[in-house]
Amino acid sequence: MLNLRLDKVSLGYGKRRVLHNIVLEAKPREMLGIIGPNGSGKSTLIRGITRVISPSSGQVFLDGQDIASMSHSDLARLMAVVPQNPVLPDPFTAFEVVLMGRTPHLGLLRHEGERDLAIVRRAMEVTKTVAFAERRIGELSGGERQRLSIARALAQEPKIMLLDEPTAHLDINYQIETLDLVRQLCLEQGLIVVATLHDLNLAAQYCDRLIMLSNGKIYCHGVPKAVINAQTIKEVYGAEVHVYPHPLNDLPATLIASEKDRHKLSQKSV
Amino acid sequence: MALELLKDVTIPKAATAYPLHWRSRVYAIVGLVVLLGVVMVVTSAIGSTHIPLATLGQVLLSKLPFIEVEPTWASSVETIILDIRLPRLLLAGLVGAALAVAGATYQGLFRNPLADPYLIGVAQGAALGAVIGFVLPVSWQAASIPLLAFAGALIAVAVVYSIAKVGKTLPMTTLILAGVALGAFLAAITSYLMIASGDKLHGIISWLLGTFSLTSWWQVTMVMPYIFVGIIIIWLHARPLNVMQLDEEQAQQLGINVERVKLILLGAATLITAAAVCFCGIIGFVGIIIPHAVRLVWGPDHRFLLPLTTLAGASFLILADTAARTVLAPTEIPVGVITAFLGAPFFLYILRQKKRAVF
């Protein structure tokens, strides 16, 4: 079974090291969430896993193979990324952008065949982007672009899907819809999903395991209940919050309070 | 629904509901091929000596194998067609195609609508090389000017490239800035040499504005291989170029070896631009207006944009050169003057017609 493993990966930009000795493992049918405050290295971790930045030490293994030894297209056939703020070229149509997901499966001389078009169509159906397939990117909303990025990632037929803040610019209905879709794909297609999330409640509800980053290091990891509590959030984020079990499923739910009520938090915290 | 996404993908009839507009694009390519043919035939009949189309057809047919045509025309007519007009229009076509495709390539690579083939130092390098050739003793000029222009263009880009390279990557913004800076430096030297060149100034200026006078077959055969090979390499990278319209990070995550594609495309575009400018000087505007006009009409997909741009660029420069040699005949106007004079209003017209975002 395919697995993703990071072995003591350190990486950064130029001489500035952002992540230190990251060790993690992810398996199919599992959603792994990466949480941590701004600047803790969440997006950098995604860049390291996708080889946009090469680790200064340590290795990323896919199925036991070091990704540094794989070709770009081999890697892209296994691994798809939904970027945080995707730059999409305005004059292209939505359909053309999703079709770009087929790139790693096509050589320089091969055109998209019927099968490629069918895969793209299915990816667009699943992500509910069919309605605006022929519209130009410049005319689409942020939520629509986000779903297009997911459709494009699906069109790659990946085994691993990495999502960098997939819900960052979405309204609450699209946040739920997007993560429902990702979770469904994860389970039904046996995908490995790694997602960075800044919303702790979404992270707790949707991820099987969480890794909490603090200043480029893994602060703690485990099931949501073990990672998200008032104490870790105070230590890592420096924020006082109230965490209590979700009434429907016991998963940790993070509640915030404005300044006027914050003095009551310390008494109530679990 | 998602369950079957990756398994047993059946091909629904409706899969063709989002066409790639193959048909209209193929029609466009065929249309431009026909246009190019018509332009070539008509312009070779036009000039100081008017040649009827019937005679033109007979002369051309007589040169094809296995066809016997009884010569009914003066031998001077044959010379004008075959040794003067034909090589000239072929060179103009090749150069037009090269500059237009190089422009489209740079615009795609830099994701910048203002990029033209001369953006990273080709023109300034070629100009300096040519001006050095002009100030050499007269007997050396014929061979040395194109050679020095070609070398100057390639060396300038190589220097810009090595300055801009950071480790294994090539940041495109740095490349543009290095190109602008080195270009200014080279232009300063060129200007100095021009001021000091005395009576050779007229020749230099007409070279700098671009001209196809004095074209003969050997020039065509010299530049053709470079331009053919370069254009084919660029065409083959149309899909990677499409994907690179996303940012470089996404392109890489979609399996494109971004640094290698950049290197190949920069190399090919530089080579064809250097080949284009070395004999006929720096012809402006083709590399900007033709790709944009094509993009406005047929969309941004490079798989069609690049071939269409090639054909349109060839036709456009043949027409411009015909105007250059006929409008004020027997005086020749530099073709660069014509390309700007015809091209700019045409481009503005298209821009007014289609006001949608094209880049």
Side-chain angles (χ1 to χ4, degrees), chain A:
Chain A
M1 194 159 52
L2 190 78
N3 75 337
L4 169 73
R5 190 161 61 83
L6 270 67
D7 187 17
K8 291 185 186 155
V9 169
S10 299
L11 52 87
Y13 306 94
K15 283 189 181 135
R16 193 168 62 89
R17 189 174 283 196
V18 177
L19 290 173
H20 311 268
N21 281 325
I22 301 295
V23 177
L24 66 82
E25 196 162 358
K27 294 189 193 70
R29 289 174 221 287
E30 180 187 64
M31 276 182 77
L32 177 64
I34 313 285
I35 56 175
N38 295 334
S40 60
K42 300 191 295 284
S43 298
T44 308
L45 183 58
I46 297 280
R47 293 205 175 110
I49 297 175
T50 56
R51 216 176 67 175
V52 171
I53 322 175
S54 304
S56 52
S57 67
Q59 286 131 324
V60 180
F61 291 104
L62 257 184
D63 223 6
Q65 196 188 352
D66 187 345
I67 63 162
S69 65
M70 297 169 74
S71 79
H72 288 266
S73 50
D74 283 347
L75 189 59
R77 277 195 290 271
L78 289 172
M79 190 186 269
V81 185
V82 179
Q84 185 169 2
N85 284 315
V87 174
L88 300 175
D90 284 351
F92 283 82
T93 64
F95 172 69
E96 285 170 330
V97 165
V98 179
L99 197 59
M100 287 180 186
R102 299 303 299 160
T103 307
H105 297 271
L106 300 165
L108 282 185
L109 288 170
R110 246 194 70 204
H111 280 303
E112 296 88 352
E114 291 284 305
R115 183 169 182 277
D116 299 300
L117 294 179
I119 288 168
V120 166
R121 188 188 158 78
R122 292 302 278 274
M124 296 190 80
E125 279 170 0
V126 169
T127 52
K128 299 201 177 74
T129 50
V130 175
F132 48 87
E134 291 268 45
R135 300 243 306 274
R136 282 169 198 287
I137 299 295
E139 304 165 10
L140 302 180
S141 73
E144 288 167 331
R145 289 175 196 220
Q146 189 66 32
R147 274 142 66 205
L148 272 189
S149 297
I150 295 174
R152 191 186 68 199
L154 283 178
Q156 280 174 257
E157 297 182 287
K159 301 275 183 273
I160 300 173
M161 193 183 279
L162 300 158
L163 302 104
D164 194 1
E165 297 289 357
T167 57
H169 304 287
L170 302 184
D171 288 332
I172 196 157
N173 54 328
Y174 282 134
Q175 292 183 359
I176 294 168
E177 209 170 279
T178 303
L179 288 178
D180 278 344
L181 170 65
V182 171
R183 180 149 187 94
Q184 184 195 2
L185 293 167
C186 172
L187 294 175
E188 291 179 349
Q189 300 189 10
L191 292 179
I192 299 173
V193 173
V194 180
T196 69
L197 291 161
H198 71 273
D199 186 318
L200 297 173
N201 286 323
L202 290 173
Q205 288 297 317
Y206 283 96
C207 296
D208 302 294
R209 279 193 305 134
L210 293 175
I211 286 178
M212 190 184 268
L213 292 178
S214 173
N215 292 321
K217 296 192 180 99
I218 294 181
Y219 182 82
C220 59
H221 63 96
V223 294
K225 223 169 183 171
V227 174
I228 297 178
N229 56 55
Q231 192 196 345
T232 54
I233 289 169
K234 175 136 175 72
E235 281 164 10
V236 172
Y237 288 80
E240 293 198 39
V241 296
H242 180 59
V243 178
Y244 82 115
H246 194 290
L248 296 180
N249 52 26
D250 250 18
L251 289 164
T254 307
L255 292 184
I256 57 162
S258 74
E259 202 226 329
K260 67 181 164 48
D261 296 320
R262 207 168 295 146
H263 65 278
K264 302 176 194 163
L265 280 172
S266 45
Q267 299 128 42
K268 288 234 173 190
S269 280
V270 186

